[in-house]
Amino acid sequence: MSEAPRPARETLRPDLEVIAGWIPAGARVLDLGCGDGQLMGWLEQSRGCTGYGVEIDDAEVLACVRRGIDVIQQDIEAGLGMFGHGQFDIVVLSMAIQATHQTEKVLREMSQVGSEGIVSFPNFGHWYHAWSILRGRMPVSREMPYEWFDTPNLHLATVRDFEDFLERLGLVITGRAFLADGHPVRTLPALRATQAIYRFRRAAQDRSG
Amino acid sequence: MSVPGSVGQVVPQRMYFDAPLDLRSGAALAGYELVYETYGTLDASRSNAVLICHALNASHHVAGTYGDDPKSAGWWDNMVGPGKPVDTNRFFVVGINNLGSCFGSTGPMSPNPATGAPYGPDFPVVTVEDWVHAQARLADALGIERFAAVMGGSLGGMQALAWAVLYPERIAHCVAIATAAKLSAQNIAFNEVARRAIITDPDFHGGRFYSHGVVPAHGLQVARMIGHITYLSDDSMAAKFGRLLRPAVQAREADAPASEPGDAAAAAVRSDYRFTFDVEFEIESYLRYQGEKFSKYFDANTYLLITRALDYFDPALAHDGDLAAALAPATADFLIASFTTDWRFAPERSREVVQALLAARKRVTYAEIDAPHGHDAFLLEDPQYLQLVAAYFDRIHARCVGAART
């Protein structure tokens, strides 16, 4: 019960390391589906950032409080109405978009609440997934370790799908990075990346809104 | 880590204040007395003080027991004590009985210096803000410049919020549980029904019942019954009582305490109605018992005063309803918590507070505890709730007390 807050200087998950590298010092950050608050903890300690995690799971909320970061217990699909427009410099959604029901609504709200959004997701277009389906099996991989009958994943996308989606929402891609099992991928990322990470902002004409 | 325990036997203390206290109503109290208890030790740097604010029917007796009577345990004994979430091995915890209450601090039962007779209905209407100002004077006298945390549930949470706004430099953390930044119309309505029950009791005598040697017991009972209904969730009431009928023998004794559901099931379960308006269902027996118990220890004028303080609390009122503007002066970090089945102070009310704190760019953590017990949950054992508060107080300790030592 009297366990002291854990030091936040720990090795970040590879996609979170990429995300952290994109976030400027002192930024005001909202981390949606923040889990145990690893990213927010690191950003506060190492970058002097401020902000909140948003998490629905009881155990993760408790882990955030133990870590000493501020967390708002809420289902992100219930809407981000609690957060005012433009309240944050950066809104992060890491490895959670594929489990959202109302993916379009979540992305729209992200782009309203923050000046810039960052999303990481498992790339369904990875060659192994195609190979698995060719062999007649739904793919099960490190980023998607679930059998088809008990997966939380609803909206899986390939790199190209996701880029089209951002364009359709009027969002401009300002950065992209690809990882394969935690290591950067530069050639043929659409086929070789297991994780994709995008940063984006509203198109210039409606950035004021 | 020691096994969580009790602070042990405690003795209430009293402090008299002779400087007049100006009240929000425009009235003033010439002098007043506050009863309080403390647990743990104030450290040399005076950085480890925690103020616990009480709700409607509680008092300064937050933790520990009087003498060795286990039934006299404080109202938040599961929260405050050695090894408990608010750990008295680390924190100096203060509980204060509010002005107008009936547990020893100056209130309607106290002698009015102008007449020598009890104040009764002449005791001025006090507000949450008035209480906070009175508490601040007690903190001055105890040598506490700044609380590491001010904490409360329900009406106590309102006091914690008021502290953060009225004395921003004197509160490092605000822990407000199962509370609201203002009552809803429905909530005021419940209070009004309770007040009407008291005021229309023939034994109320316009609030001067002391000199008649009576108390408006029936009014207090009804007030408590309706209050109690709103503290429980529909589900917890269904689980505890359902439509169980009172066993025939006990049904004749209307004031017999309600037995546990297990006992009721073990007793001869009736399925036949008796076709009377006497106690028939277990829930009726339970409410009557709670009402009668309450009417024997609680003052009717205090009930009116405290429900009014609840009604009047609305820090956003002076800011055209803008709660974020009202909370702007606060510099504390906030922990706001609500309970999913609480419909008297619903999660939605806590979310309004959180939304305003976010808009005002305050540091805030919000937890929505999935508990079945309704509003009462803030007083009960729930692992997620107690662990969360414990973890937050670890943070408070690291930031306030640990920092002061280095």
Side-chain angles (χ1 to χ4, degrees):
Chain A
M1 212 167 252
S2 57
E3 181 187 323
R6 276 181 288 162
R9 286 183 197 279
E10 56 192 309
T11 312
L12 285 174
R13 211 172 69 199
D15 64 311
L16 296 183
E17 204 175 304
V18 173
I19 292 169
W22 284 348
I23 295 176
R28 197 158 166 78
V29 180
L30 186 67
D31 184 5
L32 303 175
C34 65
D36 67 1
Q38 190 189 39
L39 178 66
M40 276 310 302
W42 191 90
L43 290 171
E44 284 186 8
Q45 297 256 324
S46 307
R47 290 281 167 85
C49 294
T50 58
Y52 316 89
V54 178
E55 180 55 59
I56 185 69
D57 182 78
D58 280 349
E60 302 282 37
V61 166
L62 189 53
C64 288
V65 175
R66 290 197 169 129
R67 191 187 282 277
I69 75 145
D70 277 321
V71 60
I72 308 295
Q73 186 162 26
Q74 210 210 337
D75 180 359
I76 57 177
E77 303 224 48
L80 301 182
M82 213 190 266
F83 305 94
H85 283 198
Q87 251 181 28
F88 298 91
D89 298 316
I90 313 260
V91 183
V92 177
L93 182 66
S94 63
M95 297 302 281
I97 193 168
Q98 72 278 4
T100 57
H101 289 256
Q102 304 173 69
T103 308
E104 185 173 333
K105 179 183 157 195
V106 170
L107 264 249
R108 267 189 208 287
E109 291 194 326
M110 275 181 79
S111 67
Q112 286 161 350
V113 166
S115 307
E116 192 164 19
I118 301 178
V119 168
S120 67
F121 63 93
N123 172 28
F124 197 75
H126 188 264
W127 66 266
Y128 172 78
H129 297 157
W131 173 241
S132 190
I133 287 168
L134 280 175
R135 286 187 311 162
R137 294 287 175 195
M138 278 298 281
V140 176
S141 60
R142 195 170 79 164
E143 274 75 25
M144 298 188 294
Y146 306 101
E147 296 288 351
W148 65 271
F149 50 84
D150 70 348
T151 179
N153 295 333
L154 301 164
H155 291 140
L156 292 161
T158 67
V159 164
R160 260 162 119 188
D161 289 336
F162 192 71
E163 295 206 0
D164 289 351
F165 182 53
L166 291 179
E167 194 184 344
R168 201 163 69 77
L169 293 177
L171 300 170
V172 177
I173 295 166
T174 51
R176 42 168 87 70
F178 305 99
L179 300 173
D181 299 325
H183 300 290
V185 176
R186 289 194 178 80
T187 50
L188 292 174
L191 285 177
R192 294 179 58 230
T194 53
Q195 276 176 299
I197 307 144
Y198 282 82
R199 62 196 292 197
F200 53 87
R201 50 169 69 243
R202 292 190 299 282
Q205 64 270 24
D206 60 33
R207 201 175 296 166
S208 55
Chain B
M1 198 181 83
S2 59
V3 176
S6 166
V7 296
Q9 296 186 19
V10 295
V11 178
Q13 301 168 75
R14 324 179 67 86
M15 195 176 287
Y16 183 76
F17 300 83
D18 49 16
L21 184 73
D22 293 328
L23 304 172
R24 203 175 135 200
S25 65
L29 277 173
Y32 60 94
E33 196 170 35
L34 292 179
V35 178
Y36 66 100
E37 289 179 9
T38 69
Y39 324 104
T41 310
L42 187 61
D43 64 17
S45 57
R46 297 174 176 190
S47 62
N48 68 333
V50 173
L51 175 64
I52 304 284
C53 303
H54 70 77
L56 204 161
N57 64 322
S59 72
H60 51 284
H61 185 40
V62 177
T65 58
Y66 294 147
D68 54 5
D69 177 9
K71 282 187 184 160
S72 68
W75 60 271
W76 225 351
D77 199 65
N78 59 351
M79 185 65 81
V80 176
K84 290 181 177 169
V86 182
D87 188 344
T88 51
N89 289 329
R90 303 193 294 183
F91 292 105
F92 176 66
V93 179
V94 183
I96 306 174
N97 189 216
N98 284 324
L99 284 172
S101 179
C102 51
F103 297 106
S105 293
T106 302
M109 297 195 298
S110 311
N112 181 347
T115 63
Y119 275 104
D122 300 327
F123 192 85
V125 171
V126 284
T127 64
V128 167
E129 288 80 4
D130 296 330
W131 286 336
V132 167
H133 292 308
Q135 291 162 1
R137 285 193 183 169
L138 183 73
D140 292 340
L142 294 176
I144 300 163
E145 283 174 25
R146 184 172 189 247
F147 282 105
V150 176
M151 175 182 187
S154 194
L155 177 58
M158 291 177 170
Q159 292 160 61
L161 292 176
W163 260 96
V165 172
L166 295 173
Y167 294 100
E169 73 288 358
R170 298 192 68 173
I171 158 177
H173 296 82
C174 171
V175 180
I177 299 166
T179 193
K182 60 170 188 269
L183 291 193
S184 64
Q186 186 195 49
N187 237 320
I188 295 170
F190 285 126
N191 285 345
E192 174 60 2
V193 173
R195 282 190 295 266
R196 292 310 297 168
I198 290 168
I199 290 170
T200 57
D201 186 323
D203 285 339
F204 183 63
H205 296 287
R208 298 187 198 284
F209 51 89
Y210 313 109
S211 59
H212 292 80
V214 292
V215 294
H218 286 101
L220 272 168
Q221 285 166 24
V222 174
R224 181 57 168 172
M225 285 166 84
I226 189 159
H228 216 92
I229 294 166
T230 68
Y231 304 149
L232 303 177
S233 69
D234 191 12
D235 284 350
S236 66
M237 214 184 256
K240 196 167 179 183
F241 305 104
R243 292 182 52 87
L244 264 184
L245 293 173
R246 195 82 182 126
V249 181
Q250 291 167 36
R252 277 182 226 120
E253 307 161 28
D255 62 345
S259 44
E260 291 302 308
D263 301 345
V269 174
R270 295 198 300 119
S271 55
D272 54 320
Y273 296 151
R274 292 184 300 122
F275 302 98
T276 93
F277 297 112
D278 292 339
V279 168
E280 185 81 303
F281 294 91
E282 284 285 353
I283 181 61
E284 297 172 326
S285 166
Y286 174 80
L287 287 176
R288 285 199 195 188
Y289 170 70
Q290 293 294 338
E292 283 190 25
K293 195 171 76 168
F294 186 71
S295 69
K296 287 183 178 123
Y297 74 86
F298 208 83
D299 177 66
N301 285 310
T302 290
Y303 203 93
L304 303 184
L305 282 168
I306 295 189
T307 53
R308 215 28 148 185
L310 271 163
D311 295 351
Y312 281 153
F313 185 66
D314 183 7
L317 186 65
H319 300 267
D320 295 327
D322 184 349
L323 185 59
L327 293 168
T331 55
D333 289 5
F334 290 79
L335 172 62
I336 308 292
S338 69
F339 300 91
T340 50
T341 54
D342 183 351
W343 57 281
R344 183 82 194 246
F345 287 83
E348 186 55 42
R349 303 281 84 75
S350 283
R351 278 190 231 118
E352 286 166 6
V353 177
V354 174
Q355 185 168 352
L357 289 168
L358 290 166
R361 300 197 155 215
K362 305 302 174 191
R363 292 202 57 144
V364 52
T365 281
Y366 172 59
E368 209 163 284
I369 313 286
D370 187 8
H373 313 102
H375 187 54
D376 260 358
F378 89 89
L379 296 167
L380 300 175
E381 300 281 340
D382 178 281
Q384 173 74 9
Y385 167 43
L386 294 181
Q387 285 178 59
L388 192 98
V389 174
Y392 198 77
F393 271 84
D394 285 342
R395 183 194 302 197
I396 293 171
H397 187 263
R399 286 205 185 137
C400 294
V401 188
R405 281 203 188 121
T406 52

